[in-house]
Amino acid sequence: MVIKMKTIIQKIDATNMASSDFKEAAELLRNGKLVAFPTETVYGLGGNAYDSTASARIYAAKGRPSDNPLIVHISCFDEILPLVEAVPQNARVLADRFWPGPLTMILNKSDRIPKETTGGLDTVAIRMPSHPIANRLIKEAGIPIAAPSANASGRPSTTKAEHVIEDLDGRIDMIIDGGSSDIGLESTIVDLTVEPALILRPGYITIEMLREVIPDIEYDKAVLKRMRDDSIVAKAPGMKYRHYAPKGELTIFEGDTDAVSKAIGKAAEEKLRSGYSVGILTSDELAGSYEDLKKYVTEGKKPHENGALYIKDIGSRENEAEIAAGLFDALRYFDEVGAEFIYAEAFNDGGLGQAIMNRLMKAAGYHVITL
Ligand code: TXA
Ligand code: MG
């Protein structure tokens, strides 16, 4: 059981920050305590990566299985040296190109990193975030910071301090509120301990971008899977767990956009008529096609009301960055209003779309209707 504690909420303005803003957070981290902080991808739940007790606290606070390794965050390249056995050439090349930024590399770990931090593995995941608050916090703490996404295990990752408060208030020592995470999806993970290198989790850094520097890089098979198939085991332990799932039953509709909006409208209306509350995850292009269902829209009704419709438009289908940034927030919104059935449009899966669809498919438990 986690003892309920007082969580300090500290606002920091990334455009105007001083060393003193980080004093308490850095001290907490050095003392084995937990501090959630913003990064450019999602919020992280940080602890001292060298301290096995801090790692154990992270697992407990999240309710995360302890065989699911943590990402170790550094603030400049040389901080990688004590963490790994050796720095392969590929790691230098990737760091030159993509660090600081939303890329995580898996390398063989040194003895300094306890097994508790790496979920029992001999490898370690390392990332140098570009968010100024994350970078400064690591520097001020003077230690590498182990940090998974700052959400309760199984829930969508957190892209705002309010999300972190929802999931972890009273379970961790401090939350640094630095506004919204720009990217909104977790980092791309690349395994450099195998040949050819493998992408274990798609993210903002796409395969096309990676191939410019590592031409033979491939996806881990589990990344491309389009349906529930237990014979394909993900190489990133975390990718095997139920993830991002909203409380309502989420179904994705893919195909011609006209057919998609018609099918979603029909499915939604059926459920609404039976008194269920329904969420629709849509885009600027298709949001207008649910006019017929307007009478069910929640205006003037309370959340959780029977037969209520909640429509969430997360941006233009043409603007993948906008869709990525709004996805987790939308999934959390449907939980907040108590949507029992959620119908989502599929998005294009090239470029950043690969990461968007990877998260959406997991959230839906691969429940897709193809039209
Ligand atoms: O953007 C991000 O990566 C965010 C921010 C906070 O940096 N962090 C994040 O951490 O998403 P987390 O713990 O939610 O996801 C880490 C993923 C998990 O799927 C885990 O299994 C995998 O990385 N991972 C960590 N270490 C690994 C290792 N040594 N080998 C294979 N997979 C590993
Ligand atoms: Mg996570």
Side-chain angles (χ1 to χ4, degrees):
M1 200 193 79
V2 175
I3 297 160
K4 186 102 179 145
M5 59 175 99
K6 169 104 185 78
T7 301
I8 302 162
I9 314 282
Q10 177 160 356
K11 262 201 185 325
I12 297 184
D13 176 357
T15 62
N16 180 20
M17 47 189 195
S19 192
S20 54
D21 293 332
F22 293 88
K23 188 163 179 284
E24 190 171 9
E27 235 164 67
L28 285 168
L29 288 168
R30 281 192 297 271
N31 292 327
K33 302 292 172 48
L34 305 187
V35 177
F37 60 96
T39 85
E40 71 279 21
T41 56
V42 298
Y43 271 69
L45 172 55
N48 180 355
Y50 289 144
D51 180 350
S52 55
T53 316
S55 294
R57 286 197 180 119
I58 291 176
Y59 289 111
K62 280 184 59 111
R64 172 171 176 142
S66 61
D67 66 345
N68 188 2
L70 309 176
I71 296 177
V72 178
H73 295 70
I74 57 177
S75 68
C76 67
F77 187 78
D78 285 350
E79 289 169 8
I80 201 176
L81 301 173
L83 310 177
V84 298
E85 242 175 23
V87 182
Q89 185 54 24
N90 271 347
R92 287 186 194 277
V93 170
L94 286 179
D96 263 357
R97 182 77 162 241
F98 300 113
W99 276 2
L103 178 76
T104 296
M105 300 185 216
I106 311 284
L107 296 166
N108 289 315
K109 79 174 197 67
S110 73
D111 294 337
R112 289 237 19 219
I113 292 289
K115 284 263 172 106
E116 283 78 2
T117 300
T118 63
L121 299 176
D122 294 322
T123 54
V124 59
I126 304 177
R127 178 162 107 79
M128 188 198 303
S130 64
H131 195 293
I133 293 178
N135 183 278
R136 185 71 173 265
L137 178 66
I138 301 162
K139 274 207 170 64
E140 298 279 347
I143 42 174
I145 304 295
S149 49
N151 52 283
S153 187
R155 295 210 70 205
S157 298
T158 49
T159 56
K160 304 173 177 172
E162 295 77 46
H163 296 160
V164 185
I165 294 170
E166 244 168 59
D167 280 18
L168 299 174
D169 188 33
R171 303 171 74 88
I172 63 176
D173 301 277
M174 183 187 268
I175 297 169
I176 296 179
D177 179 353
S180 297
S181 294
D182 285 342
I183 295 177
L185 299 179
E186 309 86 341
S187 61
T188 305
I189 302 181
V190 169
D191 186 352
L192 295 180
T193 67
V194 290
E195 191 59 52
L198 287 179
I199 299 169
L200 306 190
R201 182 174 72 183
Y204 185 82
I205 308 292
T206 62
I207 192 165
E208 292 82 12
M209 292 156 81
L210 291 164
R211 280 193 173 148
E212 284 176 21
V213 283
I214 306 184
D216 64 346
I217 196 166
E218 292 289 346
Y219 282 118
D220 176 30
K221 271 206 224 62
V223 171
L224 296 176
K225 113 178 148 171
R226 299 278 291 156
M227 41 182 175
R228 209 172 292 169
D229 177 352
D230 297 331
S231 71
I232 305 176
V233 178
K235 280 202 70 208
M239 301 298 273
K240 74 176 181 250
Y241 294 107
R242 189 179 143 89
H243 238 99
Y244 315 119
K247 290 169 192 141
E249 188 186 293
L250 170 59
T251 307
I252 302 169
F253 289 73
E254 68 174 8
D256 171 73
T257 49
D258 273 348
V260 164
S261 60
K262 279 208 183 74
I264 289 180
K266 188 159 171 276
E269 180 149 33
E270 258 172 50
K271 294 295 180 196
L272 288 163
R273 279 209 185 124
S274 316
Y276 291 107
S277 53
V278 173
I280 295 181
L281 179 66
T282 184
S283 56
D284 293 352
E285 287 81 357
L286 297 188
S289 44
Y290 306 109
E291 282 291 305
D292 291 355
L293 300 177
K294 235 183 167 169
K295 62 173 185 272
Y296 294 104
V297 169
T298 57
E299 269 169 277
K301 297 185 194 175
K302 293 190 285 304
H304 308 279
E305 195 146 325
N306 288 344
L309 176 62
Y310 306 88
I311 297 180
K312 190 86 176 169
D313 172 2
I314 56 173
S316 167
R317 303 178 66 79
E318 304 292 309
N319 186 347
E320 290 178 333
E322 193 181 6
I323 302 286
L327 181 63
F328 289 145
D329 187 53
L331 295 178
R332 283 181 173 265
Y333 166 76
F334 291 129
D335 278 356
E336 205 180 292
V337 297
E340 294 164 285
F341 292 90
I342 303 159
Y343 302 117
E345 298 166 15
F347 296 94
N348 299 330
D349 60 7
L352 180 52
Q354 186 75 48
I356 295 168
M357 285 310 293
N358 172 272
R359 307 308 192 276
L360 192 56
M361 292 283 255
K362 279 175 184 295
Y366 300 95
H367 189 201
V368 185
I369 292 176
T370 305
L371 300 158

